[in-house]
Amino acid sequence: MARTLEFDPDTALSRATDYFWLHGYEATHIRELAEYMGISKSSFYNTYGDKHQVYIVALSNYLDQEYLMLERLHETNPTPVELLPSLFSNVSEQFSEQAHLRGSFMVNAAVERAPHDPEARSVVAKHFERFADLLADYFAFHQQNGIVDAEHDPRMLAHSLISNLYSLGVLARLDLGLDARENVVRAAMTLFV
């Protein structure tokens, strides 16, 4: 007979995401992580296996939520003039309001884990390309309707937008201030609209 979990797995995973986001993978120790998640070490091992497994699940879950947010925005079919300023603003606020200047969880994972963790690299790369697919379709649609200049390849525009969005996370982590983030946004907008 399977034992009933004595904790909410979604809440525990959300707390694991926060902990990894704030401390990074290498500085995270299982005892402190399990405590922060509100579970015992034995529950941690029985449910998640090890630190790497919970990290990959937390990262994948975070990226799925990020993608769903963009997908919901895309479904409303806004024009670039409507979408991009609000998207940049939301991302800038999200990255800069986080405790201790933690920036973007995806950027942190790409920098800290991806160079020597094939599974983390695969999760981040797949997210980037899934994000790019959605945005390339978005730009192609608006090029066909004459709203976006057809001079540029839609996939190039998608990669450029993603790079600009995530650079806001880097700038937030460095605490370079609002002017630096606004400069990225202003320069990017000249390409897209």
Side-chain angles (χ1 to χ4, degrees):
M1 184 168 147
R3 291 184 61 195
T4 305
L5 289 178
E6 298 173 0
F7 61 93
D8 177 25
D10 292 335
T11 300
L13 184 60
S14 176
R15 292 186 62 80
T17 301
D18 286 340
Y19 198 88
F20 282 122
W21 196 347
L22 184 60
H23 298 281
Y25 182 85
E26 294 300 330
T28 294
H29 301 286
I30 290 177
R31 182 173 40 83
E32 289 87 0
L33 177 60
E35 185 178 304
Y36 190 81
M37 292 169 70
I39 62 177
S40 68
K41 275 180 70 174
S42 62
S43 291
F44 180 93
Y45 287 116
N46 290 335
T47 305
Y48 300 105
D50 61 20
K51 179 174 89 165
H52 186 260
Q53 285 180 292
V54 76
Y55 179 82
I56 294 298
V57 171
L59 177 61
S60 298
N61 186 60
Y62 169 83
L63 296 177
D64 285 345
Q65 291 177 26
E66 189 174 81
Y67 180 80
L68 285 174
M69 180 271 304
L70 181 64
E71 197 172 45
R72 283 187 202 110
L73 280 174
H74 183 7
E75 287 171 358
T76 65
N77 200 28
T79 65
V81 172
E82 297 164 336
L83 173 70
L84 298 179
S86 66
L87 186 59
F88 275 116
S89 177
N90 289 342
V91 167
S92 182
E93 286 175 21
Q94 176 195 358
F95 292 156
S96 61
E97 289 178 1
Q98 301 299 340
H100 304 287
L101 307 171
R102 63 187 184 174
S104 162
F105 188 31
M106 194 208 80
V107 171
N108 297 350
V111 171
E112 181 188 18
R113 298 301 306 155
H116 48 271
D117 181 338
E119 194 172 2
R121 181 173 51 252
S122 175
V123 168
V124 170
K126 284 178 184 172
H127 172 70
F128 189 94
E129 288 308 313
R130 179 173 66 158
F131 214 177
D133 290 343
L134 183 64
L135 288 170
D137 288 346
Y138 169 82
F139 285 122
F141 173 80
H142 286 293
Q143 283 178 331
Q144 290 168 0
N145 292 314
I147 296 171
V148 172
D149 190 339
E151 172 188 359
H152 302 295
D153 176 69
R155 193 152 194 88
M156 184 274 296
L157 291 173
H159 284 158
S160 180
L161 177 57
I162 294 167
S163 297
N164 278 283
L165 287 170
Y166 285 120
S167 74
L168 296 176
V170 173
L171 294 173
R173 186 82 189 245
L174 295 173
D175 196 22
L176 295 179
L178 184 59
D179 285 348
R181 293 193 305 274
E182 286 180 348
N183 286 339
V184 168
V185 173
R186 277 195 296 273
M189 291 298 290
T190 63
L191 180 60
F192 302 115
V193 293

